[in-house]
Amino acid sequence: MCGRAMKNYIGALDQGTTSTRFIVFDAAGHEVARHQLEHRQLLSQPGWVEHDPIEIISRVDEVIAGALRAGNLSGNDLAAIGITNQRETTVAWNPRDGRPWHNAIVWQDIRTDEAVAGLESRHAFIRERTGLPAASYFSAIKLQWILGRVENLRERAERGEALFGTIDSWIIWNLTGGVNGGLHVTDVTNASRTQLMNLHTLAWDDELLSIFDVPRRMLPRICPSSDSSAFGTTRSDGPLGAEVPIAGNLGDQHAAVVGQACFAPGAVKNTYGTGNFILLNTGERMVPSSSGLITTLGYALEKGHPVFALEGSVAVTGSAVQWLRDQLGVIKTADEIEPLAASVPDSAGLFFVPAFSGLFAPYWRADARGIIAGLTRFHTKAHLAQATLEAICFQTRAVLDAMVRDSGVEIAVLKVDGGATANNLLMQRQADILGVPVVRPVVSETTALGAAYAAGLAVGLWTDVASVQRQWKADRQWEPSWSADRRDAVYDGWRKAVDRAVGWVDHAD
């Protein structure tokens, strides 16, 4: 029990697109306990995706309490907690009563596509200032929509009656007191995804605020990703039942970079979740993209020492498997896709482009829509399952090819994490389609682990990034089995299918 007295445990709250979980890690980076719960996806119109912020906070409380029970722990056993969250998802709330002014608008939501088109004259400026393309993906245009939709909200915001935040800010405000003095803060990685922060100064930008007509008073204070005091402490009457420092905070994909120990320039990771998110560490060098990628913060574990990255975001990967399950009924559980796909040797020329929310990097085509190409009577649901897995791999290759063009760095190995990496067939196909080894770590929950590392580094549980790096261990590695000719021929078929998917909205008109 002396380990508990020394508080050799770190809690990680991982608030994702479809679920929330709390995982407790020990000083060796091993999982001690966890609890996870899903929340509703509110889909009231085509292209609209919302979450209920109150439901999310309820899930936060439940998973923290559940994990502590599962591990026979209390909040007093934790040296600190770290938070990681779905990025870009936008919340505006009243600090006087703690009620949201509107449902959270999720990163996948595309209701603001027309508003983005109206910013065409400012697209180049926005990209130069933020590293991000003008797109419905990011928070600023979502917040602008909420401010225009809720009556008098902009005026209320000017009076201090409306706060804005990504999900991390909403959670921290509630955990640290809510209406009774909750802190209104964010970290630099989440701020970098709002399209309101200047990537060069790491501060809110008045010109960007003017473009999106956002009152500065709404905005949280920007902090480093790892800090022992910036994010406050949890309230003693909250789910932890103790005052515990919130010492780490990163957007989910940035947390995975830390959890995968991608600290060296050129290291690259891919997280397989609802979507796929590939980040390439570019060190202290900010690399502008000419190939449809995002220039973003990798992490900022020390104040004044940001590490930058190139990112490619793929909107629909794991959610394509959910579509097979929930909308088509092809499978009953997500786990069934691997044996179904493995029952045939390949997709037999079938290509599935799951552009349900348009296509993100490196295409950035909001007018793309999902298609199945090459279909014949020969094809079965097994071929569709195989094509779904291959679609995940093809989209990843498109992003990595763009990263090589922009950075000049050849990819030697791809580190992978996320729930879908348990699918061994998917990982083998990824190696086949990329032509490089794919490596899965022992601890697959690298998003939560990265948040834990950020918090633990801040309070001294880990001394430096080298001590974190020594804990990373490989679980399994997949080597490419396809010839270069086969790889290129199949990828060429995918690109032709993508050509047919883009411009679909115009064709429909």
Side-chain angles (χ1 to χ4, degrees):
M1 303 300 288
C2 62
R4 293 191 187 182
M6 294 173 62
K7 295 191 175 183
N8 285 338
Y9 297 92
I10 293 286
L13 179 68
D14 184 354
Q15 202 298 299
T17 306
T18 59
S19 68
T20 305
R21 54 191 164 184
F22 191 71
I23 303 179
V24 180
F25 295 95
D26 64 18
H30 298 143
E31 182 179 318
V32 174
R34 78 156 69 193
H35 192 56
Q36 180 168 344
L37 293 170
E38 292 188 356
H39 57 267
R40 292 173 299 153
Q41 306 298 305
L42 307 176
L43 311 171
S44 60
Q45 297 186 42
W48 290 35
V49 188
E50 297 180 353
H51 294 158
D52 177 356
I54 298 297
E55 181 184 16
I56 284 177
I57 284 300
S58 176
R59 295 291 186 267
V60 167
D61 290 351
E62 291 176 76
V63 298
I64 290 174
L68 293 178
R69 284 196 304 271
N72 192 26
L73 298 164
S74 75
N76 288 316
D77 294 315
L78 304 181
I81 67 168
I83 292 173
T84 183
N85 57 284
Q86 54 170 315
R87 304 172 302 168
E88 297 95 17
T89 296
T90 301
V91 188
W93 71 95
N94 187 337
R96 297 182 180 179
D97 63 12
R99 303 295 300 179
W101 287 108
H102 192 276
N103 279 334
I105 300 181
V106 178
W107 58 273
Q108 297 167 310
D109 189 284
I110 58 173
R111 76 186 67 183
T112 56
D113 280 347
E114 289 187 11
V116 172
L119 295 171
E120 185 173 359
S121 64
R122 309 308 302 272
H123 283 195
F125 173 83
I126 291 169
R127 180 181 278 278
E128 189 281 329
R129 194 62 62 95
T130 68
L132 312 173
S136 59
Y137 182 19
F138 305 107
S139 307
I141 199 76
K142 302 178 191 297
L143 178 57
Q144 184 185 60
W145 187 93
I146 293 173
L147 287 167
R149 187 64 172 264
V150 179
E151 187 176 0
N152 298 323
L153 186 56
R154 189 170 277 104
E155 291 77 10
R156 289 178 181 272
E158 296 282 9
R159 297 196 300 266
E161 297 174 15
L163 301 180
F164 153 73
T166 42
I167 292 291
D168 63 309
S169 296
W170 169 243
I171 291 171
I172 292 170
W173 185 82
N174 278 279
L175 287 180
T176 57
V179 295
N180 297 312
L183 292 186
H184 188 211
V185 293
T186 190
D187 94 297
V188 69
T189 66
N190 279 295
S192 75
R193 312 298 296 198
T194 63
Q195 215 153 53
L196 296 172
M197 190 194 83
N198 186 320
L199 195 62
H200 305 273
T201 65
L202 308 186
W204 302 122
D205 187 282
D206 286 332
E207 289 184 79
L208 293 168
L209 293 175
S210 177
I211 288 171
F212 293 102
D213 197 14
V214 171
R216 177 179 277 273
R217 193 170 180 181
M218 298 186 76
L219 305 179
R221 177 166 53 90
I222 301 174
C223 306
S225 309
S226 177
D227 193 294
S228 61
S229 61
F231 306 110
T233 58
T234 61
R235 65 186 196 277
S236 59
D237 63 344
L240 283 156
E243 294 185 359
V244 180
I246 302 173
N249 181 26
L250 304 101
D252 52 8
Q253 304 314 317
H254 313 269
V257 171
V258 175
Q260 283 276 35
C262 289
F263 298 125
V268 60
K269 72 88 194 174
N270 188 11
T271 298
Y272 296 74
T274 305
N276 269 28
F277 300 90
I278 306 102
L279 273 79
L280 171 72
N281 185 325
T282 61
E284 296 181 5
R285 183 169 63 110
M286 191 186 306
V287 178
S289 176
S290 58
S291 304
L293 301 178
I294 290 168
T295 304
T296 190
L297 257 293
Y299 51 84
L301 299 180
E302 299 178 60
K303 187 175 183 179
H305 294 280
V307 172
F308 295 95
L310 282 172
E311 176 177 339
S313 305
V314 179
V316 177
T317 54
S319 52
V321 177
Q322 293 173 336
W323 180 73
L324 291 185
R325 180 192 67 190
D326 299 338
Q327 269 76 21
L328 297 191
V330 170
I331 50 178
K332 292 182 179 179
T333 67
D335 292 343
E336 290 179 11
I337 192 170
E338 183 175 5
L340 178 60
S343 68
V344 292
D346 53 43
S347 62
L350 191 69
F351 294 94
F352 175 27
V353 182
F356 301 150
S357 302
L359 286 171
F360 286 8
Y363 312 102
W364 294 109
R365 292 296 297 259
D367 58 347
R369 290 295 179 268
I371 66 166
I372 298 171
L375 190 63
T376 70
R377 284 197 66 184
F378 171 76
H379 290 109
T380 67
K381 62 181 181 180
H383 295 105
L384 179 58
Q386 180 96 221
T388 301
L389 298 183
E390 289 181 354
I392 296 172
C393 303
F394 289 135
Q395 291 179 97
T396 297
R397 173 170 170 175
V399 169
L400 286 171
D401 285 354
M403 286 180 168
V404 171
R405 288 193 298 272
D406 280 341
S407 69
V409 175
E410 291 294 331
I411 307 300
V413 63
L414 178 66
K415 289 184 173 182
V416 299
D417 56 76
T421 61
N423 186 321
N424 294 318
L425 176 59
L426 172 63
M427 294 297 97
Q428 182 59 57
R429 279 291 175 269
Q430 188 68 87
D432 294 337
I433 288 169
L434 288 179
V436 300
V438 170
V439 182
R440 181 178 66 199
V442 170
V443 180
S444 62
E445 300 295 351
T446 54
T447 301
L449 183 60
Y453 280 147
L457 286 166
V459 298
L461 188 61
W462 293 284
T463 55
D464 52 30
V465 295
S467 63
V468 168
Q469 203 155 17
R470 286 192 293 271
Q471 289 190 351
W472 189 94
K473 298 288 189 299
D475 171 54
R476 182 168 174 182
Q477 179 164 317
W478 291 265
E479 298 290 338
S481 63
W482 287 3
S483 68
D485 287 346
R486 180 181 181 187
R487 180 161 48 250
D488 291 342
V490 173
Y491 188 58
D492 186 57
W494 160 261
R495 287 187 293 188
K496 290 176 181 176
V498 169
D499 288 342
R500 288 162 172 78
V502 299
W504 190 262
V505 173
D506 292 336
H507 295 331
D509 291 342

